[in-house]
Amino acid sequence: MHTRRLSTLALAAALLTPLVAACGGDDDSSVTTDDLDGRTFVATSFEPDGIVEGSEITIDFAGGGLSANAGCNVQNGGYSVDDGNLQVDTMTSTMMACDDALMAQDDRIVVLLSSSPSVTLDGDTLTIQGDSTLVLTER
C-alpha cells in the first residue's frame, strides 16, 4: 500500500510539473510587434556602462515605428519582432550636439537596437539584450 501511494504521488507530480511551469510566468519568446505597439518604456538600467547621470532613456513604439531618446538626439526607425528578436530598420536621427557622455549613450542605443537584439516582455518590464542589456519599465 505504501508503494502504491508513492507511485500515485510520483505520477501526480509528473503530470502537474508541466502545468505549474506553464503557469509560472509569461513565455518571453512570445513577444510580438503588437505587444509593444502604443507603449512607452523608460530605462531602469543599461549595462554594462550604466545610464548617464541626470539623463533618461525612453523608447516609444507606435504604428510599426520606434522612437528612442537617450538624452540627446532622437532616433527613429520602423520595427518588428521576429522569433524573439527586435528588428529595426535603418534609423534616422536628429543631429544635435550634446556633451560627450550623452552622445556616446546615443551611439550605444543605436548599436543595440540595430543589432537584432533579443526582446522579452514580463508584465511592464521590457528587456532588450544584445552585446549590452537595456531594461525598461512602461511609463
Side-chain angles (χ1 to χ4, degrees), residues 11 16 27 37 40 42 53 57 67 75 78 85-86 88 93 104 117:
L11 178 60
L16 289 176
D27 178 6
D37 191 52
T40 298
V42 178
E53 188 172 332
I57 300 171
S67 178
Q75 293 81 27
N85 292 77
L86 183 64
V88 178
S93 178

Side-chain angles (χ1 to χ4, degrees), residues 35-112:
D35 292 330
L36 300 176
D37 191 52
R39 298 173 82 174
T40 298
F41 295 88
V42 178
T44 57
S45 70
F46 191 16
E47 299 305 326
D49 298 321
I51 298 171
V52 173
E53 188 172 332
S55 71
E56 180 178 77
I57 300 171
T58 60
I59 300 180
D60 298 305
F61 297 91
L66 167 134
S67 178
N69 185 327
C72 183
N73 289 291
V74 177
Q75 293 81 27
N76 296 293
Y79 82 96
S80 62
V81 179
D82 183 29
D83 263 351
N85 292 77
L86 183 64
Q87 306 296 323
V88 178
D89 298 338
T90 301
M91 299 184 82
T92 61
S93 178
T94 58
M95 300 297 290
M96 295 174 42
C98 300
D99 72 50
D100 290 343
L102 290 176
M103 298 284 286
Q105 185 165 266
D106 278 355
D107 290 343
R108 289 173 41 220
I109 287 292
V110 170
V111 167
L112 174 62

Side-chain angles (χ1 to χ4, degrees), residues 110-132:
V110 170
V111 167
L112 174 62
L113 295 176
S114 300
S115 70
S116 298
S118 67
V119 60
T120 57
L121 186 61
D122 185 9
D124 66 351
T125 300
L126 176 67
T127 302
I128 301 172
Q129 186 167 12
D131 287 342
S132 57

